[in-house]
Structure formats: structure tokens, C-alpha cells
Amino acid sequence: MAKNLIPSDIQLEITQIKSAIGGKQNQRDTLRSLGLKRIGHTVVRTADAVTVGMLNTVPHLVQVEEAK
């Protein structure tokens, strides 16, 4: 679900599933901006345009689910 998200009012549960080591600097910065610190760390964010843009930058490093 992380690919091609669209902005809305739903809450997203974002979990880091892969390491940023060896990745590009902008991808590491994006993970930090999302609030992710380590593999397995989960944050809840609203699916606004900024968050969706960041998630579309690092879809291979995160798992995205709709928060319950």
C-alpha cells in the first residue's frame, strides 16, 4: 500500500522495515522526518500531502497500514 498513496484524512501506521544504511542521504533524512528511528519502529501520522510525499520517497523502506 505504500506505493502511490493519495492525501486524505485517514491515520496511517508507518513502520520501518529496512535499514537506511547504504541509502541516499535524502532517504535517510526522510525517515528521520517521519519520526522513524530504527527497524521495527512505528509512528502514526495523518495522510496529508507532506506525509504522502515522504512515503512515496521511501516506499521500499517502510510498511504502511491504515491505523485502527
Side-chain angles (χ1 to χ4, degrees):
M1 181 181 151
K3 201 75 166 148
N4 301 325
L5 290 167
I6 56 170
S8 64
D9 291 333
I10 64 172
Q11 294 286 316
L12 298 176
E13 230 174 56
I14 306 159
T15 305
Q16 184 175 344
I17 57 170
K18 290 185 81 179
S19 172
I21 294 174
K24 296 179 180 172
Q25 184 65 46
N26 71 315
Q27 293 174 346
R28 281 181 266 157
D29 294 342
T30 300
L31 287 176
R32 181 60 67 172
S33 296
L34 284 167
L36 297 169
K37 300 177 191 288
R38 69 192 81 79
I39 294 174
H41 190 216
T42 302
V43 295
V44 177
R45 302 272 306 246
T46 305
D48 58 4
V50 173
T51 302
V52 169
M54 288 194 278
L55 291 174
N56 287 333
T57 302
V58 290
H60 57 293
L61 300 177
V62 296
Q63 177 181 5
V64 181
E65 299 171 348
E66 189 172 337
K68 279 114 183 129

